[in-house]
Amino acid sequence: MGKKIVVTGGAGFIGSNLVLELLNQLSEIEVVVIDDFSSGSFKNILNAHCDIITENLYRFDWSDYFSKKEIEVVFHLASLTDTTILDERRQMQNNVEAFRSLLRFFSGTSTKIIYASSAAIYGMRSGKNRLQDDPQPANPYGFSKLQMERIATAYMKENPQTRITGLRYFNVYGPREAHKKSASSMIFQLAKQIKEGKNPRLFSYGEQKRDFVYVADVVRATLLTAIKDCPLPLFNVGSGHARSFNDIVHILNQTLKTDAKPEYFPCPYSFYQSHTEADLELTQKHLGYVSKYSLEQGIAEYFDSGWLL
């Protein structure tokens, strides 16, 4: 990869883990973080020795900081990530228009752009989520991610030399997500409830299933996308397995040596996805990505990291 890499949202959850891995693996490159800290934390990048630009990407003028040809790769992970925010204007401005501005700046260049999409695009269908499935987002967040994919497709047609790849992340969990509070993973939230001596609260009756993927797997898939010559514009990034929320409570009880009993209550969200499960066939074929962490292994490493509690 090149000598200058930009990570937007680099103080956030996935972004900070990616930044630290980039600095660990590629000491000769210059990493630049762009983050307005609206959904990030300095604690996540306390040990990251890199430049940090504190700006809102929706209003960001790229030409104030960079020339077009000095950046080899952009990892665009900045996003309004709370899926329960129903303000459509806010979702579209933060996610879509900020991305459009980025694409405009890099039009006509060979800069590689890797951006965060989401499994929210698949909506409320059950079974395996395949790239060829018709998009059916059920909330403004999912729609904003779908629109990002659409404008990326349009820009690639207009700028064939620009390489743009979207990654549909599934339910990511792991170190450096605590700042997200109510938008953090259910694994973090349930562990916090158990640690505080509370009954872990689940939507009735805890049998909703999600593809929970450990952040180390997500970072590896993201880096593989930067290294590989990707023939597809989109890839799923998950574990490839759907696990229930009851499974999480059971594994956390084993990990924390507790015996917490779930407290069930009705789901208040009409758009809540009850099943996500990444089909990874194309991701494995073209990126060589296979998830290394089962839910049990991921939670165990999360606990050992010291970030879970």
Side-chain angles (χ1 to χ4, degrees), residues 100-151:
R100 191 194 309 276
S101 175
L102 183 159
L103 293 177
R104 282 176 175 165
F105 178 73
F106 288 104
S107 64
T109 74
S110 59
T111 299
K112 195 164 196 175
I113 299 168
I114 298 159
Y115 68 97
S117 187
S118 172
I121 282 173
Y122 292 111
M124 299 171 67
R125 61 164 53 89
S126 60
K128 285 274 189 181
N129 301 121
R130 296 176 171 84
L131 291 174
Q132 59 267 36
D133 292 341
D134 289 334
Q136 296 179 355
N139 59 19
Y141 171 79
F143 177 73
S144 73
K145 290 296 182 177
L146 175 59
Q147 193 62 17
M148 287 175 66
E149 292 185 359
R150 288 170 172 167
I151 63 173

Side-chain angles (χ1 to χ4, degrees), residues 196-220:
E196 292 172 350
K198 301 174 183 176
N199 292 328
R201 303 189 78 228
L202 301 177
F203 297 150
S204 308
Y205 285 96
E207 287 304 316
Q208 303 89 349
K209 292 185 176 181
R210 296 290 185 89
D211 188 321
F212 297 102
V213 56
Y214 191 56
V215 70
D217 272 337
V218 168
V219 167
R220 187 163 49 85

Side-chain angles (χ1 to χ4, degrees), residues 24-45:
N24 180 54
Q25 288 191 20
L26 305 170
S27 58
E28 75 282 4
I29 64 163
E30 180 182 353
V31 175
V32 180
V33 168
I34 305 174
D35 202 303
D36 68 357
F37 290 86
S38 61
S39 179
S41 172
F42 77 91
K43 295 178 182 178
N44 290 344
I45 50 173

Side-chain angles (χ1 to χ4, degrees), residues 56-60 62 76 88-104 144 147-148 151 155:
N56 183 308
L57 280 177
Y58 173 52
R59 301 178 180 88
F60 187 63
W62 287 83
H76 179 54
E88 298 180 23
R89 180 184 180 89
R90 188 177 168 197
Q91 288 281 6
M92 294 296 284
Q93 285 183 340
N94 280 273
N95 296 348
V96 180
E97 297 310 323
F99 188 45
R100 191 194 309 276
S101 175
L102 183 159
L103 293 177
R104 282 176 175 165
S144 73
Q147 193 62 17
M148 287 175 66
I151 63 173
Y155 267 81

